[in-house]
Amino acid sequence: WECRACKEKTPVSQIRKTTKSLDKEMQQIDRNDMKSLKKILNKYKQKLNKNHGTLTEVKQMIVSGYGRLPEFQVEDMTEADHKLKIELCQEILQVLDIVEPGLNLGRGLILFELHTSLVMLANLEFEKRQNPNQLLIRLQEADRILGEADNILKLEPVSSPYGHLAATIQRNRKELGGYIENVKMM
């Protein structure tokens, strides 16, 4: 195996060993333990391709945990947490563009998660820099992403486990639209 970035070569046997080790850790991990998930990601992200299937699964678990798990509720998240969540969402979306392009539930869910952290990060940055133009640009980006999530998730049957998100997205779009209009008047 040869790294595309640095051209360093690693024997296939080492890659297999690394993959086997990752799989073993994944079987034993508590999927609600964010610290362990982040530790696994950091341990293997330099050893395997960033688009590796199991690493992408770990990224999805981290993204899902942010904003939901104890100690990682939205109000507890730091600027660094939001930046990491945004980075992971973007990496997951790149993988989905290849392995499952088009309108699909996974993409809709990641876009919804991405918009939340984009809005929160925009607010945190605004508190520091007081730059309404930058805030507006970030909020408009979040609105565009939420619109894409809306186009996907409104296709979900109301009775499905994620069917309720379509209504949530509609409320969020209305609130975000009002917020954007207020920022335009700053």
Side-chain angles (χ1 to χ4, degrees):
W1 181 83
E2 183 177 331
C3 176
R4 292 181 187 165
C6 70
K7 303 297 181 197
E8 182 180 336
K9 293 183 180 186
T10 305
V12 172
S13 61
Q14 181 61 40
I15 299 296
R16 283 190 186 121
K17 183 179 175 183
T18 301
T19 303
K20 193 173 186 175
S21 174
L22 173 59
D23 290 343
K24 184 177 180 180
E25 286 189 54
M26 289 301 294
Q27 290 172 1
Q28 299 169 352
I29 195 161
D30 174 0
R31 295 172 181 257
N32 292 319
D33 183 348
M34 286 287 282
K35 290 177 181 163
S36 293
L37 290 169
K38 289 163 93 175
K39 185 177 176 183
I40 286 176
L41 179 62
N42 288 328
K43 179 178 178 180
Y44 289 98
K45 71 181 180 181
Q46 299 302 318
K47 298 176 182 180
L48 297 170
N49 186 288
K50 73 174 189 166
N51 296 336
H52 186 276
T54 307
L55 283 183
T56 300
E57 186 181 340
V58 172
K59 292 172 186 179
Q60 289 175 316
M61 287 181 229
I62 293 169
V63 164
S64 295
Y66 272 135
R68 288 180 189 77
L69 295 176
E71 298 180 35
F72 294 96
Q73 297 292 314
V74 173
E75 60 273 7
D76 300 324
M77 290 174 64
T78 65
E79 185 174 338
D81 290 334
H82 286 292
K83 286 181 177 180
L84 177 60
K85 184 174 178 178
I86 289 166
E87 178 185 333
L88 296 179
C89 285
Q90 291 168 337
E91 289 177 7
I92 293 165
L93 289 169
Q94 289 173 356
V95 171
L96 288 174
D97 285 343
I98 296 166
V99 300
E100 198 175 356
L103 305 178
N104 60 71
L105 178 60
R107 181 177 189 79
L109 294 173
I110 295 298
L111 288 167
F112 181 74
E113 295 287 352
L114 176 57
H115 111 276
T116 302
S117 275
L118 285 172
V119 170
M120 295 301 294
L121 185 60
N123 289 331
L124 291 169
E125 289 175 346
F126 181 72
E127 287 175 17
K128 287 182 181 176
R129 296 176 186 88
Q130 296 294 310
N131 182 338
N133 290 331
Q134 186 64 34
L135 176 62
L136 180 61
I137 290 167
R138 299 252 190 209
L139 294 176
Q140 288 172 329
E141 178 187 7
D143 187 50
R144 180 189 59 75
I145 287 167
L146 187 58
E148 190 177 343
D150 185 28
N151 288 337
I152 294 169
L153 291 170
K154 70 183 176 187
L155 300 173
E156 278 297 298
V158 176
S159 60
S160 81
Y162 300 102
H164 70 282
L165 275 179
T168 300
I169 288 174
Q170 287 299 311
R171 284 192 305 275
N172 287 13
R173 289 195 78 189
K174 187 174 182 178
E175 289 173 16
L176 186 53
Y179 186 20
I180 288 170
E181 289 307 311
N182 288 337
V183 171
K184 286 180 179 178
M185 291 187 255
M186 289 181 163

Short mmCIF file of all heavy atoms in Angstrom, two decimals, residues 20 72-74 87 106 121 124 135 150 176:
data_model
loop_
_atom_site.label_atom_id
_atom_site.label_comp_id
_atom_site.label_asym_id
_atom_site.label_seq_id
_atom_site.Cartn_x
_atom_site.Cartn_y
_atom_site.Cartn_z
N LYS A 20 -7.58 -5.22 11.31
CA LYS A 20 -8.06 -6.22 12.26
C LYS A 20 -8.12 -5.64 13.68
O LYS A 20 -9.08 -5.88 14.42
CB LYS A 20 -7.15 -7.45 12.21
CG LYS A 20 -7.69 -8.67 12.90
CD LYS A 20 -6.79 -9.88 12.66
CE LYS A 20 -7.40 -11.12 13.23
NZ LYS A 20 -6.62 -12.32 12.92
N PHE A 72 -21.95 16.26 26.06
CA PHE A 72 -21.78 16.71 24.69
C PHE A 72 -23.08 17.29 24.14
O PHE A 72 -23.31 17.29 22.93
CB PHE A 72 -21.25 15.58 23.79
CG PHE A 72 -19.87 15.16 24.15
CD1 PHE A 72 -19.64 14.08 24.98
CD2 PHE A 72 -18.77 15.87 23.69
CE1 PHE A 72 -18.36 13.70 25.34
CE2 PHE A 72 -17.47 15.50 24.04
CZ PHE A 72 -17.27 14.42 24.87
N GLN A 73 -23.95 17.76 25.05
CA GLN A 73 -25.17 18.45 24.63
C GLN A 73 -24.75 19.71 23.87
O GLN A 73 -23.64 20.22 24.07
CB GLN A 73 -26.03 18.81 25.84
CG GLN A 73 -26.53 17.62 26.63
CD GLN A 73 -27.54 16.79 25.86
OE1 GLN A 73 -28.47 17.34 25.26
NE2 GLN A 73 -27.36 15.49 25.85
N VAL A 74 -25.63 20.23 23.03
CA VAL A 74 -25.28 21.40 22.21
C VAL A 74 -24.73 22.53 23.06
O VAL A 74 -23.72 23.15 22.72
CB VAL A 74 -26.50 21.87 21.37
CG1 VAL A 74 -26.20 23.16 20.65
CG2 VAL A 74 -26.91 20.80 20.37
N GLU A 87 -16.05 19.28 10.33
CA GLU A 87 -15.04 18.57 9.54
C GLU A 87 -15.46 17.12 9.27
O GLU A 87 -15.36 16.63 8.14
CB GLU A 87 -13.70 18.60 10.28
CG GLU A 87 -12.58 17.85 9.60
CD GLU A 87 -11.31 17.80 10.44
OE1 GLU A 87 -11.08 18.69 11.27
OE2 GLU A 87 -10.55 16.83 10.26
N GLY A 106 -29.03 8.87 4.73
CA GLY A 106 -27.76 9.17 5.40
C GLY A 106 -27.27 10.57 5.09
O GLY A 106 -26.85 11.30 5.98
N LEU A 121 -21.47 27.53 15.45
CA LEU A 121 -20.13 28.08 15.26
C LEU A 121 -20.21 29.53 14.80
O LEU A 121 -19.43 30.38 15.26
CB LEU A 121 -19.33 27.23 14.27
CG LEU A 121 -17.88 27.64 14.06
CD1 LEU A 121 -17.09 27.57 15.37
CD2 LEU A 121 -17.23 26.76 13.01
N LEU A 124 -20.88 31.57 17.87
CA LEU A 124 -19.70 31.67 18.72
C LEU A 124 -18.66 32.63 18.13
O LEU A 124 -18.07 33.44 18.85
CB LEU A 124 -19.07 30.28 18.92
CG LEU A 124 -19.87 29.30 19.77
CD1 LEU A 124 -19.28 27.89 19.67
CD2 LEU A 124 -19.94 29.76 21.22
N LEU A 135 -21.15 36.59 9.94
CA LEU A 135 -22.27 35.86 10.52
C LEU A 135 -23.31 35.56 9.44
O LEU A 135 -23.78 34.42 9.32
CB LEU A 135 -22.91 36.66 11.66
CG LEU A 135 -24.16 36.07 12.31
CD1 LEU A 135 -23.88 34.71 12.95
CD2 LEU A 135 -24.73 37.04 13.34
N ASP A 150 -33.71 19.28 3.83
CA ASP A 150 -35.17 19.31 3.72
C ASP A 150 -35.63 18.57 2.47
O ASP A 150 -36.56 17.76 2.52
CB ASP A 150 -35.65 20.76 3.69
CG ASP A 150 -37.16 20.89 3.70
OD1 ASP A 150 -37.86 19.99 4.24
OD2 ASP A 150 -37.67 21.92 3.20
N LEU A 176 -34.43 30.03 11.14
CA LEU A 176 -33.17 30.46 10.55
C LEU A 176 -33.40 31.59 9.55
O LEU A 176 -32.63 32.55 9.50
CB LEU A 176 -32.44 29.27 9.90
CG LEU A 176 -31.05 29.52 9.35
CD1 LEU A 176 -30.12 30.13 10.40
CD2 LEU A 176 -30.46 28.21 8.81
#
